[in-house]
């Protein structure tokens, strides 16, 4: 039933979606696969034989696009284009200045207000644009994937990054600009402080008024960071549409999730049943993504299910339902399935798959390219 429903819903989208177009102006509904070119023995330097296998399996999946987060060359993308697939490559920027959590632990997110990070984002995007400009296979460019401000951090539990000195200083300056006086801030936020230098962001999932101020500040800072990337892309005269893959679900990201991010041309989200934990909530997450787009094209860049242990038998069904839920929303312009192959490096030893860590079991195929039951499920829904 679900594959038949998928075909019917794909037909409906032709009348309702805000369309993505390729360089020739052709409308494209993205049937995407999140693709990391990992192999247990070849690692990232794939042999010609493995690349050929990947091309063949993508055709069997009925995919028309790959969504990547690894560095891609013009030749890499051209190879996929010859096989009939578009590419949505990512600007792979590694910022030198990272933030910290409230307990002092390192946070794996950039300091978005840091001048070196902002300039580095622009320069990296400019170089990326120079290398790929004019490639007809590039459907859009991603400025990043899941730059989360929040994570589980040791004994603190659920915490937000942004406790580095630069971010705190910028946050406090923002509070002073918005409230004017400490008295007005105390009255409206409920946080007792003597000077603005005493103001602290929330440390976890705390529904206090100050969280709203933290959210507004972070969204503005993050939006400015992404805008630097877009500025770099445009610096060489390339007009490829830009997007950013927002995280949804349990790992809530106040810097981007639900934010309109007005500088983006395409609004994208990574939305999983494993994080929503309920099919109605998954659909609600998609609704929120669409609402924030305000008429711009919308992509579900990642959805899927892992196949670790007890999930092996249910993963195919979850993949089918996830894609069907996405297609119930006629406003979306495409769906991407996470991910093409199991990635054994996710939890340590890249030469051995960890049978206790779900992060290494999200593939539609194994690291050695053997098809899993999930492969057939994705092919049915994308066909």
């Amino acid at each position: 039933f679900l594959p038949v429903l998928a075909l019917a819903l794909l037909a409906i989208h032709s009348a309702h979606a805000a369309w993505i177009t390729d360089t020739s102006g052709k409308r494209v509904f993205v049937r995407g696969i999140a693709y990391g070119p990992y192999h247990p023995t070849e690692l990232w330097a794939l042999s010609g034989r493995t690349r050929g296998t990947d091309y063949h399996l993508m055709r069997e999946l009925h995919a028309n696009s790959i969504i990547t987060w690894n560095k891609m060359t013009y030749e890499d993308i051209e190879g996929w284009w010859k096989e009939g697939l578009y590419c949505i490559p990512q600007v792979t920027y590694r910022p030198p200045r990272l933030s910290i959590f409230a307990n002092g632990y390192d946070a794996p997110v950039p300091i978005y207000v840091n001048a070196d990070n902002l300039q580095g984002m622009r320069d990296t995007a400019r170089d990326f644009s120079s290398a790929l400009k004019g490639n007809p296979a590039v459907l859009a460019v991603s400025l990043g994937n899941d730059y989360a401000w929040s994570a589980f951090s040791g004994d603190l539990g659920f915490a937000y990054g942004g406790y580095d000195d630069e971010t705190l200083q910028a946050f406090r300056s923002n509070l002073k600009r918005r409230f004017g006086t400490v008295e007005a801030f105390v009255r409206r936020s409920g946080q007792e402080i003597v000077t603005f230098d005493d103001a602290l962001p929330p440390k976890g999932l705390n529904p206090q008024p100050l969280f709203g101020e933290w959210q507004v500040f972070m969204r503005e800072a993050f939006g400015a960071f992404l805008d630097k990337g877009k500025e770099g892309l445009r610096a060489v005269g390339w007009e490829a549409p830009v997007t950013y893959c927002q995280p949804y679900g349990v790992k809530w990201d106040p810097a981007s999730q639900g934010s309109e991010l007005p500088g983006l041309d395409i609004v994208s989200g990574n939305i999983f049943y494993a994080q929503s934990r309920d099919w109605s909530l998954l659909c609600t997450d998609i609704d929120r993504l669409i609402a924030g787009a305000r008429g711009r094209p919308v992509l579900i860049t990642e959805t899927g299910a892992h196949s670790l242990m007890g999930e092996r038998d249910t993963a195919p069904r979850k993949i089918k339902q996830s894609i069907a839920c996405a297609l119930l929303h006629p406003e979306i312009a495409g769906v991407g399935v996470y991910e093409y192959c199991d990635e054994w490096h996710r939890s340590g030893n890249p030469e051995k798959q960890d049978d206790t860590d779900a992060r290494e079991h999200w593939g539609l195929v194994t690291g050695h390219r053997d098809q899993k039951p999930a492969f057939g499920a994705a092919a049915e829904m994308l066909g």
Side-chain angles (χ1 to χ4, degrees):
F1 169 72
L2 286 175
V4 175
L5 174 64
L7 289 173
L9 291 172
L10 283 171
I12 293 173
H13 280 75
S14 63
H16 295 278
W19 280 94
I20 296 172
T21 58
D22 66 12
T23 56
S24 70
K26 177 185 176 183
R27 288 180 170 184
V28 178
F29 185 86
V30 174
R31 295 175 172 88
I33 302 293
Y35 177 75
Y38 176 79
H39 189 280
T41 57
E42 299 170 11
L43 302 182
W44 305 106
L46 298 184
S47 66
R49 180 176 181 179
T50 299
R51 284 197 301 271
T53 298
D54 288 352
Y55 293 154
H56 172 74
L57 291 175
M58 285 292 181
R59 288 195 296 270
E60 284 198 34
L61 283 166
H62 308 293
N64 68 358
S65 309
I66 60 168
I67 302 167
T68 70
W69 51 91
N70 300 96
K71 187 174 182 179
M72 299 286 286
T73 66
Y74 196 103
E75 291 71 27
D76 291 334
I77 296 173
E78 194 172 52
W80 287 103
W81 181 238
K82 290 177 181 178
E83 299 298 323
L85 282 89
Y86 296 98
C87 184
I88 302 178
Q90 179 178 311
V91 175
T92 54
Y93 175 52
R94 301 289 183 264
R97 296 296 305 278
L98 299 180
S99 186
I100 59 174
F101 291 110
N103 58 0
Y105 293 1
D106 291 339
V109 293
I111 299 175
Y112 296 119
V113 297
N114 176 263
D116 290 339
N117 285 350
L118 289 165
Q119 187 63 44
M121 180 64 167
R122 186 189 187 282
D123 292 347
T124 302
R126 180 202 59 210
D127 295 344
F128 172 98
S129 184
S130 295
L132 299 184
K133 179 182 177 182
N135 194 315
V138 177
L139 198 57
V141 172
S142 173
L143 295 174
N145 188 315
D146 196 356
Y147 279 114
W149 284 72
S150 51
F152 287 91
S153 173
D155 57 0
L156 188 64
F158 193 88
Y160 295 109
Y163 270 73
D164 58 90
D165 290 341
E166 285 184 90
T167 303
L168 289 177
Q169 182 179 352
F171 174 57
R172 289 160 178 164
S173 296
N174 186 65
L175 292 177
K176 186 175 182 179
R177 184 171 61 252
R178 286 174 61 82
F179 289 94
T181 66
V182 170
E183 292 74 21
F185 172 76
V186 171
R187 185 171 60 252
R188 293 175 60 186
S189 72
Q191 188 179 74
E192 293 290 340
I193 61 173
V194 177
T195 71
F196 280 109
D197 289 339
D198 299 326
L200 288 172
K203 295 183 179 181
L205 291 175
N206 192 337
Q208 56 181 309
L210 186 61
F211 182 84
E213 294 300 321
W214 178 235
Q215 184 183 48
V216 168
F217 163 74
M218 288 194 295
R219 290 185 176 193
E220 290 178 351
F222 183 66
F225 179 77
L226 292 185
D227 287 345
K228 277 294 181 182
K230 184 174 183 178
E231 182 182 311
L233 288 171
R234 298 289 184 260
V236 299
W238 197 25
E239 296 298 320
V242 299
T243 191
Y244 164 77
C245 304
Q246 304 178 40
Y248 272 76
V250 174
K251 189 166 71 171
W252 201 80
D253 177 15
S256 68
Q257 184 175 336
S259 174
E260 293 184 8
L261 295 173
L264 301 181
D265 304 305
I266 299 169
V267 176
S268 301
N270 301 334
I271 302 177
F272 294 88
Y273 176 79
Q275 294 177 336
S276 300
R277 302 183 189 278
D278 181 272
W279 292 111
S280 61
L281 292 179
L282 184 141
C283 286
T284 299
D285 282 338
I286 297 173
D287 290 333
R288 291 169 57 208
L289 184 71
I290 292 168
R294 294 188 178 274
R296 288 172 289 177
V298 178
L299 285 178
I300 309 300
T301 33
E302 293 180 10
T303 194
H306 69 77
S307 57
L308 179 65
M309 298 179 183
E311 298 293 323
R312 288 193 182 100
D313 295 333
T314 60
R317 181 68 180 180
K318 286 181 179 178
I319 287 174
K320 289 183 179 181
Q321 286 186 239
S322 297
I323 297 174
C325 283
L327 295 178
L328 285 171
H329 298 77
E331 300 89 349
I332 70 165
V335 182
V337 181
Y338 181 87
E339 63 181 321
Y340 173 65
C341 65
D342 290 339
E343 295 191 276
W344 293 11
H345 66 286
R346 290 290 182 182
S347 65
N349 185 354
E351 297 179 0
K352 180 178 174 59
Q353 190 166 29
D354 188 335
D355 289 332
T356 66
D357 195 320
R359 292 178 299 171
E360 298 197 2
H361 294 263
W362 283 86
L364 302 176
V365 299
T366 69
H368 292 289
R369 279 36 179 189
D370 297 317
Q371 294 184 24
K372 298 159 66 174
F375 183 96
E380 282 188 70
M381 298 301 291
L382 296 178

